[in-house]
Amino acid sequence: MQTQALQVQLAERSYPIHFSQVPEALKAEIESLRAAGRSVRVISDARVLHAHPSYLAQAGFEDTEILSLPAGETTKSIDFFSQSLSFLADAAANRDCALFAFGGGVIGDLTGYVAASYLRGIDFYQIPTTLLSMVDSSVGGKTGINLPEGKNLVGAFWQPKAVYIDTALLQTLPAREFAAGMGEVIKYGMLADLELFNDLVALDGLDANSPELAAIVRRCCAIKAQVVADDEKETASSGGRALLNLGHTFAHAIENVAGYGQYLHGEAVGIGLSLATQLSVVLGQMPHSDIRRADRVIQQFHLPTRLNQALKISDLMDAMQRDKKNRSGRLRFVTMTEIGTAVTTDGIDSALIEQLWREAGAE
Ligand SMILES: NC(=O)c1ccc[n+]([C@@H]2O[C@H](COP(=O)([O-])OP(=O)(O)OC[C@H]3O[C@@H](n4cnc5c(N)ncnc54)[C@H](O)[C@@H]3O)[C@@H](O)[C@H]2O)c1
Ligand SMILES: O=C(O)C(=O)C[C@@H](O)[C@H](O)[C@H](O)COP(=O)(O)O
Ligand SMILES: [Zn+2]
């Protein structure tokens, strides 16, 4: 198994993703920051700190001020953004403050946006603690919070200085959260890596103890690092970073309309991947048999492919109108031409999307 760091290549904003001897590497990082006279602060959530009460101290963070926020999607909000800024301002943190996110995607996205905003930008580091944050959210610098009107509507592209991935932290992750992370793993297979998709199909299951886990996490990070290096701020006129949004036009609408936290992000992505596959089939880009192929793997990892409650189609369509990929008032979707190859697709008839929602259990 490869243990050396991966590099996200972004010229002066390049950074490493560390995978081995993480507590030791973190300790060295903290020592070097402190030796340079810099202050260190951490934002985390109560559940993570409860699950790993001594991890930070062992990784060199003893005597570090830690802001512990409530766990869950509703923490990715203006209120907790404001509270996090006050945490830094109350301590008179300077521009040399290094801010660490210790948690899942909620903490990573929020902390990154706090770092992007405080004093117009301070350094931040990611220590992801969920599968989802290890394979996706800790890499790439999309930071932000939700608004009542839509997911991730406020934020900034702000790259971390380094990412420290320690899969041992996943030992305490609840099974439902592990499954949610698999939503993004399956997404990577479907958008860019048929071999990964087929490897997932062949697995009996996957959990924190599986010998295959470390290589799968690294593979997802490598795909993301490449896509981000090629199109950091999602400005490509087609394809590019937007492809990482496979399934997300549907998923974000579900999360928003059902109420943040009702569906975990990865669960909504499971439904979104199924719908993106159906859309690709209806557009004549993939054979009908791929619907079953996709749904099988999504269900194999304990994720839904249909809604568990009847959301209103009109609300879902409204939420989609606020998707950041849209251009000139027109919806833009990510579809596939085959499993393992994604493309951006514009100009889809909204009646077709409404029909897909209906089949997913909306009304
Ligand atoms: N920035 C990006 O590129 C990107 C990518 C994907 C998802 N996201 C965002 O990430 C968020 C979802 O992240 P998430 O799935 O990590 O959710 P999360 O951060 O809410 O964490 C999930 C739950 O697991 C708990 N937890 C975390 N680590 C634990 C551990 N090791 N042991 C026990 N419990 C633990 C948390 O307290 C929380 O209750 C969404 O807001 C989504 O929009 C962002
Ligand atoms: O990093 C990206 O780019 C992604 O799209 C990764 C997604 O998994 C993630 O959910 C991201 O937060 C979605 O971003 P958004 O721009 O659609 O809000
Ligand atoms: Zn996502």
PDB file of all heavy atoms in Angstrom, residues 227 230-243 325 327 332 344 346:
ATOM      1  N   VAL A 227      -8.795  16.589 -10.707  1.00  0.00           N
ATOM      2  CA  VAL A 227      -9.892  17.418 -11.241  1.00  0.00           C
ATOM      3  C   VAL A 227      -9.746  18.864 -10.742  1.00  0.00           C
ATOM      4  O   VAL A 227      -9.907  19.822 -11.507  1.00  0.00           O
ATOM      5  CB  VAL A 227     -11.266  16.830 -10.826  1.00  0.00           C
ATOM      6  CG1 VAL A 227     -12.402  17.763 -11.214  1.00  0.00           C
ATOM      7  CG2 VAL A 227     -11.480  15.453 -11.450  1.00  0.00           C
ATOM      8  N   ASP A 230      -6.996  20.801 -12.388  1.00  0.00           N
ATOM      9  CA  ASP A 230      -7.329  21.196 -13.770  1.00  0.00           C
ATOM     10  C   ASP A 230      -8.342  22.341 -13.834  1.00  0.00           C
ATOM     11  O   ASP A 230      -8.414  23.053 -14.830  1.00  0.00           O
ATOM     12  CB  ASP A 230      -7.901  19.991 -14.537  1.00  0.00           C
ATOM     13  CG  ASP A 230      -6.837  18.931 -14.790  1.00  0.00           C
ATOM     14  OD1 ASP A 230      -5.644  19.254 -14.654  1.00  0.00           O
ATOM     15  OD2 ASP A 230      -7.213  17.783 -15.101  1.00  0.00           O
ATOM     16  N   ASP A 231      -9.178  22.496 -12.806  1.00  0.00           N
ATOM     17  CA  ASP A 231     -10.268  23.488 -12.873  1.00  0.00           C
ATOM     18  C   ASP A 231     -10.649  23.891 -11.442  1.00  0.00           C
ATOM     19  O   ASP A 231     -11.759  23.608 -10.981  1.00  0.00           O
ATOM     20  CB  ASP A 231     -11.471  22.859 -13.606  1.00  0.00           C
ATOM     21  CG  ASP A 231     -12.641  23.829 -13.777  1.00  0.00           C
ATOM     22  OD1 ASP A 231     -12.423  25.062 -13.746  1.00  0.00           O
ATOM     23  OD2 ASP A 231     -13.785  23.336 -13.936  1.00  0.00           O
ATOM     24  N   GLU A 232      -9.723  24.585 -10.797  1.00  0.00           N
ATOM     25  CA  GLU A 232      -9.854  24.847  -9.356  1.00  0.00           C
ATOM     26  C   GLU A 232     -11.187  25.490  -8.985  1.00  0.00           C
ATOM     27  O   GLU A 232     -11.822  25.112  -8.013  1.00  0.00           O
ATOM     28  CB  GLU A 232      -8.694  25.754  -8.889  1.00  0.00           C
ATOM     29  CG  GLU A 232      -8.730  26.023  -7.393  1.00  0.00           C
ATOM     30  CD  GLU A 232      -7.687  27.041  -6.939  1.00  0.00           C
ATOM     31  OE1 GLU A 232      -7.009  27.650  -7.801  1.00  0.00           O
ATOM     32  OE2 GLU A 232      -7.567  27.229  -5.714  1.00  0.00           O
ATOM     33  N   LYS A 233     -11.591  26.498  -9.745  1.00  0.00           N
ATOM     34  CA  LYS A 233     -12.772  27.281  -9.350  1.00  0.00           C
ATOM     35  C   LYS A 233     -13.999  26.988 -10.204  1.00  0.00           C
ATOM     36  O   LYS A 233     -14.912  27.803 -10.300  1.00  0.00           O
ATOM     37  CB  LYS A 233     -12.426  28.765  -9.350  1.00  0.00           C
ATOM     38  CG  LYS A 233     -11.353  29.062  -8.316  1.00  0.00           C
ATOM     39  CD  LYS A 233     -11.153  30.512  -8.041  1.00  0.00           C
ATOM     40  CE  LYS A 233     -10.126  30.670  -6.924  1.00  0.00           C
ATOM     41  NZ  LYS A 233      -9.641  32.041  -6.786  1.00  0.00           N
ATOM     42  N   GLU A 234     -14.006  25.815 -10.833  1.00  0.00           N
ATOM     43  CA  GLU A 234     -15.176  25.369 -11.596  1.00  0.00           C
ATOM     44  C   GLU A 234     -15.564  26.391 -12.664  1.00  0.00           C
ATOM     45  O   GLU A 234     -16.736  26.743 -12.808  1.00  0.00           O
ATOM     46  CB  GLU A 234     -16.341  25.148 -10.604  1.00  0.00           C
ATOM     47  CG  GLU A 234     -17.321  24.081 -11.036  1.00  0.00           C
ATOM     48  CD  GLU A 234     -18.326  23.731  -9.939  1.00  0.00           C
ATOM     49  OE1 GLU A 234     -17.926  23.160  -8.920  1.00  0.00           O
ATOM     50  OE2 GLU A 234     -19.508  24.061 -10.110  1.00  0.00           O
ATOM     51  N   THR A 235     -14.580  26.848 -13.412  1.00  0.00           N
ATOM     52  CA  THR A 235     -14.872  27.844 -14.450  1.00  0.00           C
ATOM     53  C   THR A 235     -14.851  27.255 -15.867  1.00  0.00           C
ATOM     54  O   THR A 235     -15.166  27.968 -16.825  1.00  0.00           O
ATOM     55  CB  THR A 235     -13.856  29.009 -14.379  1.00  0.00           C
ATOM     56  OG1 THR A 235     -12.548  28.443 -14.333  1.00  0.00           O
ATOM     57  CG2 THR A 235     -14.082  29.874 -13.163  1.00  0.00           C
ATOM     58  N   ALA A 236     -14.491  25.991 -16.001  1.00  0.00           N
ATOM     59  CA  ALA A 236     -14.479  25.376 -17.343  1.00  0.00           C
ATOM     60  C   ALA A 236     -15.876  25.495 -17.959  1.00  0.00           C
ATOM     61  O   ALA A 236     -16.880  25.328 -17.260  1.00  0.00           O
ATOM     62  CB  ALA A 236     -14.078  23.911 -17.235  1.00  0.00           C
ATOM     63  N   SER A 237     -15.940  25.788 -19.270  1.00  0.00           N
ATOM     64  CA  SER A 237     -17.259  25.994 -19.882  1.00  0.00           C
ATOM     65  C   SER A 237     -18.048  24.695 -19.967  1.00  0.00           C
ATOM     66  O   SER A 237     -19.279  24.710 -19.982  1.00  0.00           O
ATOM     67  CB  SER A 237     -17.104  26.642 -21.261  1.00  0.00           C
ATOM     68  OG  SER A 237     -16.252  25.844 -22.030  1.00  0.00           O
ATOM     69  N   SER A 238     -17.362  23.567 -19.999  1.00  0.00           N
ATOM     70  CA  SER A 238     -18.054  22.281 -19.882  1.00  0.00           C
ATOM     71  C   SER A 238     -17.108  21.310 -19.184  1.00  0.00           C
ATOM     72  O   SER A 238     -15.892  21.523 -19.147  1.00  0.00           O
ATOM     73  CB  SER A 238     -18.441  21.752 -21.266  1.00  0.00           C
ATOM     74  OG  SER A 238     -17.267  21.483 -21.994  1.00  0.00           O
ATOM     75  N   GLY A 239     -17.678  20.264 -18.605  1.00  0.00           N
ATOM     76  CA  GLY A 239     -16.850  19.293 -17.877  1.00  0.00           C
ATOM     77  C   GLY A 239     -16.175  19.948 -16.691  1.00  0.00           C
ATOM     78  O   GLY A 239     -16.770  20.745 -15.971  1.00  0.00           O
ATOM     79  N   GLY A 240     -14.905  19.629 -16.491  1.00  0.00           N
ATOM     80  CA  GLY A 240     -14.126  20.250 -15.415  1.00  0.00           C
ATOM     81  C   GLY A 240     -14.625  19.857 -14.032  1.00  0.00           C
ATOM     82  O   GLY A 240     -15.189  18.778 -13.820  1.00  0.00           O
ATOM     83  N   ARG A 241     -14.439  20.778 -13.087  1.00  0.00           N
ATOM     84  CA  ARG A 241     -14.774  20.472 -11.691  1.00  0.00           C
ATOM     85  C   ARG A 241     -16.261  20.194 -11.488  1.00  0.00           C
ATOM     86  O   ARG A 241     -16.647  19.473 -10.569  1.00  0.00           O
ATOM     87  CB  ARG A 241     -14.307  21.632 -10.795  1.00  0.00           C
ATOM     88  CG  ARG A 241     -14.541  21.323  -9.346  1.00  0.00           C
ATOM     89  CD  ARG A 241     -13.834  22.257  -8.381  1.00  0.00           C
ATOM     90  NE  ARG A 241     -14.064  21.760  -7.040  1.00  0.00           N
ATOM     91  CZ  ARG A 241     -13.387  22.124  -5.971  1.00  0.00           C
ATOM     92  NH1 ARG A 241     -12.413  23.012  -6.087  1.00  0.00           N
ATOM     93  NH2 ARG A 241     -13.668  21.612  -4.787  1.00  0.00           N
ATOM     94  N   ALA A 242     -17.090  20.756 -12.348  1.00  0.00           N
ATOM     95  CA  ALA A 242     -18.534  20.522 -12.213  1.00  0.00           C
ATOM     96  C   ALA A 242     -18.862  19.024 -12.230  1.00  0.00           C
ATOM     97  O   ALA A 242     -19.880  18.600 -11.687  1.00  0.00           O
ATOM     98  CB  ALA A 242     -19.291  21.241 -13.330  1.00  0.00           C
ATOM     99  N   LEU A 243     -17.987  18.216 -12.818  1.00  0.00           N
ATOM    100  CA  LEU A 243     -18.252  16.770 -12.880  1.00  0.00           C
ATOM    101  C   LEU A 243     -18.299  16.147 -11.482  1.00  0.00           C
ATOM    102  O   LEU A 243     -18.948  15.126 -11.271  1.00  0.00           O
ATOM    103  CB  LEU A 243     -17.209  16.055 -13.748  1.00  0.00           C
ATOM    104  CG  LEU A 243     -17.119  16.539 -15.203  1.00  0.00           C
ATOM    105  CD1 LEU A 243     -16.083  15.719 -15.971  1.00  0.00           C
ATOM    106  CD2 LEU A 243     -18.479  16.459 -15.901  1.00  0.00           C
ATOM    107  N   LYS A 325     -24.462  25.585 -10.668  1.00  0.00           N
ATOM    108  CA  LYS A 325     -23.993  25.247 -12.016  1.00  0.00           C
ATOM    109  C   LYS A 325     -24.848  25.897 -13.111  1.00  0.00           C
ATOM    110  O   LYS A 325     -24.429  25.939 -14.267  1.00  0.00           O
ATOM    111  CB  LYS A 325     -24.031  23.718 -12.230  1.00  0.00           C
ATOM    112  CG  LYS A 325     -23.095  22.940 -11.330  1.00  0.00           C
ATOM    113  CD  LYS A 325     -23.049  21.441 -11.665  1.00  0.00           C
ATOM    114  CE  LYS A 325     -24.358  20.707 -11.521  1.00  0.00           C
ATOM    115  NZ  LYS A 325     -24.977  20.775 -10.172  1.00  0.00           N
ATOM    116  N   ARG A 327     -26.623  28.249 -15.735  1.00  0.00           N
ATOM    117  CA  ARG A 327     -26.164  29.408 -16.511  1.00  0.00           C
ATOM    118  C   ARG A 327     -27.343  29.947 -17.308  1.00  0.00           C
ATOM    119  O   ARG A 327     -28.119  29.166 -17.860  1.00  0.00           O
ATOM    120  CB  ARG A 327     -25.035  29.017 -17.496  1.00  0.00           C
ATOM    121  CG  ARG A 327     -23.745  28.582 -16.826  1.00  0.00           C
ATOM    122  CD  ARG A 327     -23.002  29.753 -16.149  1.00  0.00           C
ATOM    123  NE  ARG A 327     -21.811  29.303 -15.440  1.00  0.00           N
ATOM    124  CZ  ARG A 327     -21.787  28.828 -14.200  1.00  0.00           C
ATOM    125  NH1 ARG A 327     -22.888  28.731 -13.512  1.00  0.00           N
ATOM    126  NH2 ARG A 327     -20.646  28.462 -13.640  1.00  0.00           N
ATOM    127  N   ARG A 332     -28.218  23.067 -15.419  1.00  0.00           N
ATOM    128  CA  ARG A 332     -27.104  22.270 -15.962  1.00  0.00           C
ATOM    129  C   ARG A 332     -26.962  21.015 -15.111  1.00  0.00           C
ATOM    130  O   ARG A 332     -26.899  21.097 -13.892  1.00  0.00           O
ATOM    131  CB  ARG A 332     -25.820  23.092 -15.924  1.00  0.00           C
ATOM    132  CG  ARG A 332     -24.564  22.266 -16.095  1.00  0.00           C
ATOM    133  CD  ARG A 332     -23.332  23.111 -16.256  1.00  0.00           C
ATOM    134  NE  ARG A 332     -23.304  23.710 -17.575  1.00  0.00           N
ATOM    135  CZ  ARG A 332     -22.217  24.315 -18.084  1.00  0.00           C
ATOM    136  NH1 ARG A 332     -21.119  24.408 -17.390  1.00  0.00           N
ATOM    137  NH2 ARG A 332     -22.257  24.830 -19.291  1.00  0.00           N
ATOM    138  N   THR A 344     -20.986  17.378 -18.650  1.00  0.00           N
ATOM    139  CA  THR A 344     -22.035  18.330 -18.277  1.00  0.00           C
ATOM    140  C   THR A 344     -23.045  18.409 -19.422  1.00  0.00           C
ATOM    141  O   THR A 344     -22.671  18.321 -20.596  1.00  0.00           O
ATOM    142  CB  THR A 344     -21.451  19.732 -17.985  1.00  0.00           C
ATOM    143  OG1 THR A 344     -20.525  20.072 -19.023  1.00  0.00           O
ATOM    144  CG2 THR A 344     -20.740  19.765 -16.646  1.00  0.00           C
ATOM    145  N   ASP A 346     -26.594  20.536 -20.770  1.00  0.00           N
ATOM    146  CA  ASP A 346     -27.507  21.682 -20.620  1.00  0.00           C
ATOM    147  C   ASP A 346     -28.775  21.440 -21.440  1.00  0.00           C
ATOM    148  O   ASP A 346     -28.837  20.542 -22.272  1.00  0.00           O
ATOM    149  CB  ASP A 346     -26.844  22.961 -21.152  1.00  0.00           C
ATOM    150  CG  ASP A 346     -25.554  23.266 -20.418  1.00  0.00           C
ATOM    151  OD1 ASP A 346     -25.532  23.133 -19.196  1.00  0.00           O
ATOM    152  OD2 ASP A 346     -24.567  23.615 -21.101  1.00  0.00           O
TER     153      ASP A 346
END
